[in-house]
Amino acid sequence: MSLDVATIILTSAFAGFIGSLIGLGGGTIVIPVLSILGVPLKQAIANSMITLIATSSGSASAYVRERLTNIKAAMYLEIFTVIGAIIGATITLLVPSKYLYFFFAAFLSSSFYGIRRKMLTSAFHDGTHQDRLSKWLELEGNYYDESLDREVSYKIVRAHLGGPAMTIAGLAAGMLGIGAGAFKVAIHELILKMPPKASSATSNFIIGMTALAGSTVFIASGLVNVVLAGSIAVGATIGSLAGSRLLPKISDKTIRVLFLVVLIYLILQMVYKGVTST
Amino acid sequence: MRRPTLEEVIGYILIIGVTTSLIIESAGLALYVVGKGAIEIDLSDPEAYVRSRDFFAYIIDVVSSVLGNPNYVDVMALGLVLLMLTPYLRVVASVVFFAFSRNYKYVVITLIVLAMLTVSLIAH
């Protein structure tokens, strides 16, 4: 493989495709591959971050209209992820790359949460009693669930904990140029008690904003190459649009096994890069 | 006429922003490949890097270059600028929508997000 337009488009299309099927950003695949192709890690992070806006917005446009996305919850949580992402991106510009490799490998492991979650059929409880802040913020929602064939309505709780926790998700996303989708989904489900579909859709929506916040820092850093970022954006957008259309037709198990194999390979690569870089 | 819901407004902003930037990026890549006669990405070419402290001034630069005598760098930069503007406009639309609905709590929340993004876009 060499660093050329075709390789980058194909890799990003694969990442966007798998990403949209699993519900994770494409950055987890694109960044290690760029790094293997010889792009310095910080540059890979900066260029991949901008393209997350495309993959997130593409699928979010459908989820928003189906009312799966909780816009109010997203707006409230974005206050925290935006702060986190701006700080995170700034840290990345300042720290030595060696540490970033290890941090990246460790964070890739959090993607396993997203995969494990998809294997469980989660029973959701509605009608939770809300605390005062969550109620004041009007954090509730309802949507039509096709697989259950009924309206699902829910109330979000513990907004005072969910917000600060999202700062950490934003921080990691900004530092590593990824969506940190698995981490965001975990906060939505475990702390805020959102139902799985609303949780994934809202996480996806927030990723676009976190990516923009991180990009505001990287765009000024002189690391963004328009040909590289443009190639990733084109590939990832096409891949994620194709993935969201094919989703119902592909066996979940095949995708997960494929993704796990890719993920383990990339984690090992990043650890190796971290050990050998000076 | 029925006023569109916030979901519809945001849904349209997102899909229009992403498809427009995809088309422009693809055109820029085509110009690059045809112009260079090669598909290699040259990371050492200083021309291909975005250098801007103020994002909004950069938008004006990019738009005026594209309207003048555009090369692949300008076209691809325009695609990236549009991509970055997509979530930004989504926040602006939300502020306006919540103001029309007289939901002042959420006008404040969305304005906080908008202010942080704007400051970070201008002041780096």
Side-chain angles (χ1 to χ4, degrees):
Chain A
M1 290 203 288
S2 70
L3 188 62
D4 63 61
V5 173
T7 307
I8 299 302
I9 291 180
L10 286 176
T11 308
S12 315
F14 174 74
F17 184 76
I18 296 287
S20 74
L21 295 179
I22 307 269
L24 302 173
T28 45
I29 295 174
V30 171
I31 294 170
V33 171
L34 288 178
S35 165
I36 293 165
L37 289 175
V39 178
L41 184 61
K42 289 184 184 185
Q43 201 171 346
I45 288 174
N47 286 278
S48 167
M49 179 120 248
I50 295 181
T51 67
L52 274 179
I53 299 171
T55 47
S56 152
S57 304
S59 42
S61 67
Y63 297 145
V64 167
R65 274 176 288 167
E66 288 162 21
R67 310 218 346 260
L68 285 173
T69 310
N70 190 318
I71 295 181
K72 282 181 181 164
M75 292 293 178
Y76 163 69
L77 297 172
E78 278 164 4
I79 295 178
F80 300 94
T81 56
V82 165
I83 295 173
I86 292 173
I87 297 171
T90 311
I91 293 174
T92 288
L93 294 178
L94 300 175
V95 302
S97 296
K98 188 176 176 66
Y99 303 113
L100 288 177
Y101 286 111
F102 292 117
F103 199 55
F104 201 98
F107 211 80
L108 281 186
S109 313
S110 80
S111 303
F112 286 104
Y113 174 80
I115 297 156
R116 191 188 57 87
R117 189 181 70 93
K118 294 256 172 178
M119 292 177 177
L120 304 168
T121 44
S122 132
F124 171 69
H125 306 282
D126 44 16
T128 324
H129 179 73
Q130 263 184 315
D131 53 275
R132 280 172 64 190
L133 178 65
S134 308
K135 196 177 184 120
W136 184 79
L137 288 166
E138 304 159 18
L139 300 182
E140 53 183 32
N142 60 79
Y143 61 89
Y144 178 72
D145 189 320
E146 272 182 58
S147 62
L148 299 174
D149 194 24
R150 67 173 176 93
E151 280 278 315
V152 173
S153 50
Y154 61 94
K155 287 185 170 144
I156 288 173
V157 294
R158 293 187 286 186
H160 61 292
L161 295 177
M166 288 298 272
T167 313
I168 302 168
L171 194 75
M175 275 184 79
L176 303 175
I178 60 176
F183 201 76
K184 285 177 175 135
V185 164
I187 294 170
H188 292 168
E189 291 183 7
L190 303 178
I191 299 179
L192 301 171
K193 299 287 178 202
M194 290 173 79
K197 285 192 178 168
S199 159
S200 301
T202 306
S203 158
N204 188 284
F205 187 72
I206 296 176
I207 285 174
M209 191 59 60
T210 315
L212 172 62
S215 300
T216 62
V217 177
F218 290 130
I219 202 94
S221 69
L223 287 172
V224 177
N225 180 304
V226 294
V227 183
L228 183 58
S231 307
I232 304 171
V234 168
T237 311
I238 294 171
S240 66
L241 289 175
S244 50
R245 299 204 172 224
L246 282 174
L247 185 57
K249 294 174 190 157
I250 300 177
S251 136
D252 272 9
K253 203 177 170 190
T254 317
I255 302 160
R256 272 184 230 120
V257 170
L258 182 64
F259 186 70
L260 280 177
V261 172
V262 173
L263 204 59
I264 291 166
Y265 171 73
L266 295 175
I267 290 172
L268 293 176
Q269 277 288 342
M270 294 313 274
V271 171
Y272 172 77
K273 283 253 175 189
V275 172
T276 53
S277 76
T278 45
Chain B
M1 199 182 79
R2 179 180 71 91
R3 198 168 75 198
T5 63
L6 182 58
E7 283 81 5
E8 287 166 339
V9 174
I10 290 181
Y12 285 122
I13 290 176
L14 294 180
I15 197 68
I16 292 171
V18 169
T19 43
T20 316
S21 81
L22 175 66
I23 293 166
I24 296 175
E25 292 290 346
S26 308
L29 275 181
L31 281 177
Y32 176 77
V33 173
V34 171
K36 292 264 170 180
I39 60 168
E40 270 73 38
I41 299 174
D42 181 9
L43 290 180
S44 62
D45 176 13
E47 288 286 301
Y49 284 88
V50 176
R51 289 195 196 284
S52 173
R53 298 263 139 203
D54 177 346
F55 181 70
F56 297 99
Y58 184 66
I59 295 178
I60 297 169
D61 276 1
V62 167
V63 171
S64 60
S65 320
V66 169
L67 293 176
N69 187 14
N71 61 14
Y72 71 89
V73 174
D74 303 323
V75 177
M76 303 210 63
L78 180 66
L80 290 183
V81 161
L82 277 174
L83 194 56
M84 289 183 69
L85 278 176
T86 303
Y88 188 80
L89 289 178
R90 182 265 261 185
V91 184
V92 174
S94 309
V95 175
V96 174
F97 187 91
F98 284 124
F100 267 109
S101 326
R102 298 175 193 280
N103 187 337
Y104 298 112
K105 229 181 274 180
Y106 270 87
V107 171
V108 173
I109 289 174
T110 43
L111 274 177
I112 294 173
V113 175
L114 186 64
M116 288 191 293
L117 290 173
T118 309
V119 168
S120 190
L121 281 169
I122 293 175
H124 263 91

